[in-house]
Amino acid sequence: DAKTTQPPSMDCAEGRAANLPCNHSTISGNEYVYWYRQIHSQGPQYIIHGLKNNETNEMASLIITEDRKSSTLILPHATLRDTAVYYCIVRSGDSNYQLIWGAGTKLIIKP
Amino acid sequence: NAGVMQNPRHLVRRRGQEARLRCSPMKGHSHVYWYRQLPEEGLKFMVYLQKENIIDESGMPKERFSAEFPKEGPSILRIQQVVRGDSAAYFCASSPGTGGTGELFFGEGSRLTVL
């Protein structure tokens, strides 16, 4: 599975959009981009995933560049409860797990 | 519709004792995954099991660690003769297996402290 690179931390004002970048320049054609988050000491929570097209659900939007080498997770109206560590993971479509998760981005939402 | 259940949530053991962590997957899920997380680090895969089978244990130390997912009952991660370096949060995840979105559903974790 390809490796991902994320900034270690970010701040965002409450009510504003939080844009979390992820670099996955070695991604291959059958690898999906997944985003999870981990709120302090809890189990990771699935947010969204995509292959080529941009995706949106009730939690977030995922924007994948045309060359698929990077992506951005967008939380449209961040709340204090969105403070968490956000993990960007790339995995093969036929494998259901990831050997190593990076350190992720610690997102702090400020009032 | 209960999620992934892990117990105990917190476990304290002295060096040399055994730690046994249990995980009940979501209803209808037949695939279980165990991960370990040290403070301020990401999750590290340990083992992937289906009912009565170990599919991939490449992330699990060869000694002292074992995992099972019997036909009946929860999956168990067993750590024998624990050492201080085993102190960590151990997360279990489950999935329905083939098909679906590939999403993993995680439990709240078991935090092992070795004194």
Side-chain angles (χ1 to χ4, degrees), chain B residues 67-111:
Chain B
E68 62 178 5
F69 188 17
K71 187 177 180 181
E72 301 291 337
S75 174
I76 295 176
L77 179 67
R78 184 181 292 110
I79 311 172
Q80 296 177 302
Q81 299 175 330
V82 296
V83 301
R84 288 220 174 101
D86 297 332
S87 295
Y90 293 83
F91 289 96
C92 170
S94 73
S95 72
T98 56
T101 65
E103 174 185 353
L104 299 179
F105 296 81
F106 283 86
E108 293 300 311
S110 292
R111 281 151 187 82

Side-chain angles (χ1 to χ4, degrees), chain B residues 1-14:
Chain B
N1 184 17
V4 177
M5 304 299 292
Q6 290 189 248
N7 66 82
R9 292 293 308 278
H10 300 274
L11 182 63
V12 179
R13 285 288 179 265
R14 296 191 181 279

Side-chain angles (χ1 to χ4, degrees), chain A residues 34 36 38 41 97 99 101, chain B residues 37 43 45 56 101 104 111:
Chain A
Y34 274 74
Y36 285 79
Q38 187 174 23
S41 297
Y97 55 100
L99 294 182
W101 293 35
Chain B
Q37 186 175 36
L43 278 71
F45 166 78
D56 182 349
T101 65
L104 299 179
R111 281 151 187 82

Side-chain angles (χ1 to χ4, degrees), chain A residues 61-98:
Chain A
S61 295
L62 174 61
I63 309 298
I64 302 175
T65 58
E66 192 168 342
D67 64 6
R68 301 188 68 238
K69 293 185 177 182
S70 65
S71 61
T72 301
L73 178 74
I74 301 172
L75 307 178
H77 304 287
T79 70
L80 298 179
R81 287 182 294 180
D82 291 323
T83 292
V85 178
Y86 287 77
Y87 296 98
C88 169
I89 298 159
V90 171
R91 71 159 185 82
S92 169
D94 59 357
S95 78
N96 224 357
Y97 55 100
Q98 174 73 13

